[in-house]
Structures are given as C-alpha cells and as structure tokens.
Amino acid sequence: MGLYLKDQTWGWLALLPKIFVDAYVRKCDSRLLETAWIMGYRALVCEEINVPFSNKNYASNSSTTRLIRKVVIRAKDVPELRKKLGEVNYRKQFVTVQPLDIEVARWASHDSRIDSILLTTENIHVFDKKQQNTMKYYSKPLEIPLHILFRGDVELRGVIYRRMQLYAGRRVPVIISSMAEKWNELYPPISIVKLLLTQYDIPERITLNAITHIPWVIISKKEVE
C-alpha cells in the first residue's frame, strides 16, 4: 500500500512507496486540500475542518485525501493535562500536547493517549537530554512545525538546530508539520526534505520518515469518526 510519485523531478524519492502526511494543518478548506493533493499529500491532520468529511477520506475532483481531526492540548501542569486528556477522543483524534512545564513534558512522554509532543518557541526549554531519553524509551514522537525552523532569528535557529541534532540523532521519532492556515503556507514534501538537509543537517531518510511513515502509522490506527 502506498503512493508512487510519477514526477521525474523527485529523483530517488520517486521510487519509494509512501503516503505523504501533513500532521498539523490549522484550517483545512477545499482550496488547501486541492493544493495539498497537487503537492502529493494523501493525508492531513486538521485542527479545523471546513469541508464535509469522515476521518476515512475527503473526495473531490477524483482526489481522495485521508483527514483526521487534530487536538492540541496546551498544559502548564500535570493536573491540567490529565483533565484535558479526559475530554478528547484519542481513539479517533490525533492528540498533540504542547507542554509548558518540564513535568508535563515527562508525563506526556509515557501517556499512550498522546500521539506527539509539540516543540514551539514557548517550550523549547523543556526538551533537554532527560526528555530526549524519556521520549526515546517510550517511542513518543517529537513534532516540529516548519515555521519555527525557517522564520526565527539566528540565535533561535541555533537552539533549534542543537535540539534537532540531539533528538533526531538519538533516534527519537520526529514528525514535521506545516501548521498551515492557508493553502500558500503548505510546503511541497521534496522542499521539506531538502531544506532540512541543507539548513539543519538532518538526513533525508529521517525527514522522509517524519512526513510519511511515522505520522501515517498513527493516523492509520484511528477509528473512523
């Protein structure tokens, strides 16, 4: 099962079976979905969905895109995290936690209801070496939105570079997502692979897994909503 790209410009990537996934889109509407399809995405995880859908698929103009609802939980302490987790349907929704405290980050690493832990400019301090070890032990994916990789200042990008080398280099699962609100904020998959290689020294195979296999395994296990 997989998608074989026919575009010759993809080089060796075109030879690999894959389903490209954007694991965090803020708003999914028909124009964004059509653009994502053209770029090669076959699954999107959407915080807000403005089209008729089930989390099985969205079909339009002979294209079929798998849609899953995204729930992002911001929590400053463990009781708040546990309360909010009790309010989501983790069997049907893609649950991402943005920890604002180190203890929240530790807890999120081993809770099986949580699909990924989101790194942002607000919480980068919680992603230390101990957090890396904990996430590796529980195989908890680190989710990194593209906008913080390419829009920050030099100092911030240096901090992010070191975190990415620590986590990706120590085999913590990584998910790369766009956080797009509009169609023109999506990134073509090949651009993501090449940009992370040239700007952050992340090997192509790691980035490729971050936008295909790792998020796809998560959403393929979700029940139809």
Side-chain angles (χ1 to χ4, degrees):
M1 178 176 65
L3 166 69
Y4 291 85
L5 296 177
K6 298 180 180 180
D7 188 344
Q8 296 300 313
T9 64
W10 281 77
W12 67 271
L13 291 176
L15 304 176
L16 298 177
K18 59 183 68 70
I19 295 178
F20 287 109
V21 179
D22 190 330
Y24 191 176
V25 179
R26 288 187 183 274
K27 296 181 181 179
C28 286
D29 56 27
S30 58
R31 186 171 187 185
L32 185 143
L33 292 175
E34 294 296 337
T35 302
W37 174 266
I38 292 169
M39 288 182 175
Y41 291 101
R42 297 299 179 263
L44 299 175
V45 184
C46 309
E47 197 168 24
E48 180 181 327
I49 301 176
N50 296 323
V51 294
F53 97 110
S54 74
N55 70 2
K56 184 174 182 181
N57 61 61
Y58 164 80
S60 175
N61 298 333
S62 300
S63 68
T64 302
T65 304
R66 178 76 180 269
L67 299 184
I68 296 287
R69 290 192 187 274
K70 175 93 161 183
V71 176
V72 180
I73 297 175
R74 288 169 49 94
K76 61 181 181 299
D77 55 47
V78 173
E80 181 182 19
L81 173 61
R82 294 175 66 180
K83 179 179 182 297
K84 290 181 176 179
L85 280 172
E87 298 169 352
V88 302
N89 190 338
Y90 64 91
R91 292 186 176 88
K92 295 181 179 180
Q93 300 170 330
F94 193 112
V95 181
T96 297
V97 169
Q98 181 183 347
L100 303 178
D101 172 83
I102 290 176
E103 292 306 313
V104 174
R106 302 286 194 265
W107 180 280
S109 299
H110 63 75
D111 194 310
S112 61
R113 295 171 294 180
I114 296 167
D115 297 309
S116 68
I117 301 178
L118 186 68
L119 183 151
T120 70
T121 55
E122 292 180 77
N123 69 358
I124 196 168
H125 64 282
V126 309
F127 293 96
D128 55 15
K129 189 172 182 179
K130 184 174 181 180
Q131 180 67 13
Q132 174 262 313
N133 288 331
T134 307
M135 292 176 67
K136 179 181 178 181
Y137 182 82
Y138 289 103
S139 297
K140 185 68 67 180
L142 171 67
E143 183 172 339
I144 306 172
L146 284 165
H147 73 89
I148 73 167
L149 298 181
F150 305 125
R151 299 179 187 173
D153 57 33
V154 174
E155 183 177 354
L156 174 61
R157 291 178 67 178
V159 174
I160 295 171
Y161 177 92
R162 291 188 289 274
R163 293 297 193 281
M164 292 186 69
Q165 291 299 314
L166 174 64
Y167 279 70
R170 301 290 179 85
R171 298 190 178 184
V172 173
V174 174
I175 293 173
I176 302 296
S177 57
S178 71
M179 254 188 175
E181 289 194 56
K182 301 177 182 178
W183 65 271
N184 58 1
E185 294 175 344
L186 293 171
Y187 288 77
I190 187 62
S191 298
I192 298 172
V193 173
K194 296 303 181 183
L195 283 168
L196 264 67
L197 176 64
T198 57
Q199 299 295 314
Y200 286 92
D201 296 325
I202 301 299
E204 292 177 333
R205 60 178 175 79
I206 291 179
T207 304
L208 190 62
N209 274 331
I211 57 176
T212 58
H213 178 71
I214 295 173
W216 175 249
V217 167
I218 295 170
I219 68 175
S220 64
K221 295 177 181 178
K222 301 295 182 180
E223 299 173 1
V224 175
E225 188 170 338

